[in-house]
Each structure stands twice: as C-alpha cells, then as structure tokens.
Amino acid sequence: MKNVLDEREQQIVSRIEHYGLTALEIGLCIEICVELLRGAGFTAVVGESIVLLLVSAGMMASYLYYGLWDTDAKPSLGGNIRYSILSSICIGLVTGGITHKAWLGVCVAAAVAVVMAGILTVLMKMVEARKRQQADLYESENEEESI
C-alpha cells in the first residue's frame, strides 16, 4: 500500500499514534487496578492483562530492535530508578488495597522496585549496544561507498 502522506503529515500521524498507544496502556492499567480493588479476581482481568502484556512486550522488542529508548527521555540510571520507584509505589498500593495488609504492599513494592530497576538497566544496556552496532554498520557502509 502506497503512503500518500508527506513527511510533516507522517510526523503528525506518528505523534497521534504515540499518544493513542500511551493512553491505551494507561487506560488498561487503570482498569485492571480498579477491577482488582473492587474485589474482582484475576480471572476477571486476565483478558486486559494479556492485551497489556502483548502490547508492552511488542513495543519493547521494537524499541530494542531499532535501538530506541523513548520519545521523551534518554536512557539513564537515574530515570530507571525514578520509574522503578513510581511503578513500585503504584503496585504496592494496589497490593495493599487488595489484601488489606500494608506490610505486604510495602514488601511487594520493595521487590518490584529492585526487579524493575534491574530489568530497565539491562534493557538500557541492550539499547546502547544496539545503537553502537547500528553506528558501526552505518560507518562501514559509508566507507564501502566512498571507495
């Protein structure tokens, strides 16, 4: 199928799709949390959880393949820690709310913070390695063309 959009229009479409996908992921997270806090079992949100997991995994794989991190942030250890803490607080609050046990929410939040920071740091290193690989490939192609 032929693309009939010029570069400016393509950038606008990309921005619209980015915001739409972000809204979808945030909406699914909120819906899952609300249902769990209302007392629904995991089976009530398994469909939404699978969609969220597939979309997130696909996005992460694509970003990694192209050596990208995010449209709004550069990869950094500080950013990874901040995002890990924010995510762990949300998950800890939901866990504490569902189980009515604050100590469990705190324990889950701490575990999630450590695991999330580790995963993000590994992904950050993989993106940086992919960027170097792409730069080396680009340089070698340019050297071959100049010969």
Side-chain angles (χ1 to χ4, degrees), residues 136-146:
D136 293 344
L137 180 63
Y138 179 75
E139 287 176 13
S140 67
E141 286 176 358
N142 283 342
E143 287 175 2
E144 289 176 7
E145 288 177 6
S146 64

Side-chain angles (χ1 to χ4, degrees), residues 69-80:
W69 186 251
D70 188 28
T71 56
D72 304 318
K74 292 185 177 191
S76 70
L77 186 59
N80 292 350

Side-chain angles (χ1 to χ4, degrees), residues 33-124:
C33 291
V34 167
E35 287 299 316
L36 291 173
L37 289 172
R38 288 181 56 212
F42 182 72
T43 56
V45 295
V46 73
E48 293 90 340
S49 299
I50 290 171
V51 170
L52 182 61
L53 178 67
L54 291 175
V55 168
S56 298
M59 292 296 296
M60 286 190 315
S62 297
Y63 273 94
L64 182 59
Y65 177 78
Y66 289 104
L68 303 172
W69 186 251
D70 188 28
T71 56
D72 304 318
K74 292 185 177 191
S76 70
L77 186 59
N80 292 350
I81 291 170
R82 283 190 298 277
Y83 187 78
S84 298
I85 290 171
L86 177 64
S87 300
S88 68
I89 289 170
C90 293
I91 292 171
L93 288 171
V94 170
T95 302
I98 291 170
T99 62
H100 303 290
K101 297 176 182 172
W103 65 269
L104 185 58
V106 170
C107 291
V108 168
V112 167
V114 170
V115 171
M116 178 85 66
I119 290 171
L120 287 174
T121 300
V122 168
L123 287 172
M124 179 179 72

Side-chain angles (χ1 to χ4, degrees), residues 3-23:
N3 186 351
V4 296
L5 301 177
D6 64 25
E7 187 175 330
R8 180 190 61 81
E9 292 169 329
Q10 188 61 46
Q11 287 178 354
I12 292 169
V13 167
S14 294
R15 235 178 292 139
I16 291 168
E17 290 172 348
H18 169 73
Y19 290 131
L21 185 60
T22 301

